[in-house]
Amino acid sequence: MAWLDAHAPFDPDSHSAPVIGIAATLGHHDSGLHQHQRGQLLFTRQGCARITLAQQLCLLPPSRAAWIPPLTPHRAVMQQSVDYRSIYLTATLCADLPSRVCIIEVSPLLHVVLEPITDAAFDSDWTQSRNLHLLGLCLNEIREAAEQPMLLPLPQDKRLAPLLTTLDHLPPTLAVLEQQIGASGRTIGRIFQRETGMGYQQWRQQWRLMRAIELLATGRSLSYSAFELGFASDSAFIAFFKHMTGRTPRTYLD
């Protein structure tokens, strides 16, 4: 079985097979900034991972998967214990897959297919028989998967650098941010619209959603999460979460 040694570095590009799969359970793991010649599908069966890209922050919630195209610099940080599966595909196999990082829903079929792929030996033959069918199903499920809004574009304007150094804490209101960086609300709005495609309030709400999922997925209670994110009550937090995702926190994580 292709289980990863948590203490040894792993280089999928050192293998010749078109598909390389691994299974691992890691705790408080930081991959550091790196990239692969291959595309990567990272599926968290349990736990939560934060993926940092050049100009985006990406959250990988439990039971979802991150698609990372070839040659994409990224850093994955896993808090507490994360049980995950990962497959690496050559650039040829990635030709019809998304060309940008995205978080996708994992269908029951994709969930099942990933297990034998990550169990397979690194030198497996993927050109015939059962493996060929498994690979075809896997690629099709990735192509057809619904995307999740788990990407937060990061503004690059130097005036906003203090905001980006405290991304674990609730971003301030617009009025407070104006005072912190010495720019008007209109100027801040233009910066965010230009560099993230969102207004500041929309960006702040997206941050709140991603942080909410991260807190809940790492064992914080609903009341603790609501307080940390600045909601007046648990019911206000639940209403916000349902508005953003279409589900309550409990059903989303289940």
Side-chain angles (χ1 to χ4, degrees):
M1 294 177 65
W3 287 87
L4 180 66
D5 180 350
H7 302 289
F10 179 72
D11 179 13
D13 297 328
S14 66
H15 299 273
S16 59
V19 181
I20 299 294
I22 60 173
T25 300
L26 299 176
H28 300 287
H29 174 72
D30 186 339
S31 71
L33 186 65
H34 66 289
Q35 65 182 28
H36 316 289
Q37 298 289 330
R38 297 166 178 260
Q40 179 184 10
L41 184 76
L42 176 59
F43 168 50
T44 49
R45 299 203 315 173
Q46 183 178 354
C48 191
R50 185 184 290 194
I51 303 171
T52 304
L53 308 167
Q55 296 180 351
Q56 290 179 312
L57 184 65
C58 174
L59 184 71
L60 178 53
S63 75
R64 275 74 175 181
W67 168 247
I68 305 171
L71 299 175
T72 302
H74 62 282
R75 173 188 177 195
V77 176
M78 301 179 182
Q79 299 183 19
Q80 299 181 2
S81 179
V82 178
D83 180 18
Y84 77 92
R85 302 291 182 264
S86 190
I87 61 170
Y88 301 88
L89 306 168
T90 58
T92 300
L93 291 176
C94 299
D96 293 328
L97 299 181
S99 59
R100 69 197 187 309
V101 174
C102 55
I103 302 299
I104 62 172
E105 294 272 7
V106 175
S107 68
L109 179 55
L110 180 56
H111 192 170
V112 171
V113 165
L114 285 173
E115 288 303 308
I117 293 178
T118 55
D119 281 351
F122 289 161
D123 59 355
S124 296
D125 182 357
W126 295 93
T127 63
Q128 58 184 341
S129 189
R130 177 175 181 262
N131 280 354
L132 180 61
H133 292 299
L134 287 172
L135 177 57
L137 285 171
C138 180
L139 295 176
N140 187 68
E141 288 300 297
I142 295 172
R143 280 193 297 267
E144 299 296 326
E147 294 189 20
Q148 293 274 293
M150 290 293 113
L151 290 168
L152 185 70
L154 301 177
Q156 302 301 301
D157 192 291
K158 292 181 179 179
R159 287 169 288 184
L160 296 170
L163 177 67
L164 302 184
T165 61
T166 56
L167 282 176
D168 283 342
H169 303 287
L170 177 64
T173 63
L174 181 59
V176 172
L177 184 60
E178 287 177 340
Q179 295 177 347
Q180 287 180 349
I181 70 171
S184 69
R186 182 172 296 179
T187 297
I188 292 171
R190 283 199 299 266
I191 293 171
F192 271 86
Q193 195 65 49
R194 181 180 70 245
E195 298 190 357
T196 72
M198 305 177 182
Y200 179 67
Q201 182 60 18
Q202 183 184 2
W203 184 89
R204 187 173 183 263
Q205 292 293 73
Q206 180 66 13
W207 180 95
R208 279 174 125 185
L209 172 64
M210 290 173 57
R211 183 61 175 154
I213 293 170
E214 190 172 45
L215 289 170
L216 294 169
T218 52
R220 273 68 166 193
S221 69
L222 189 144
S223 294
Y224 175 91
S225 302
F227 176 79
E228 281 291 300
L229 298 173
F231 289 96
S233 64
D234 290 1
S235 59
F237 173 54
I238 293 171
F240 159 80
F241 198 100
K242 190 170 184 180
H243 172 73
M244 294 290 285
T245 68
R247 310 179 207 178
T248 65
R250 181 183 296 276
T251 56
Y252 183 92
L253 291 175
D254 287 344

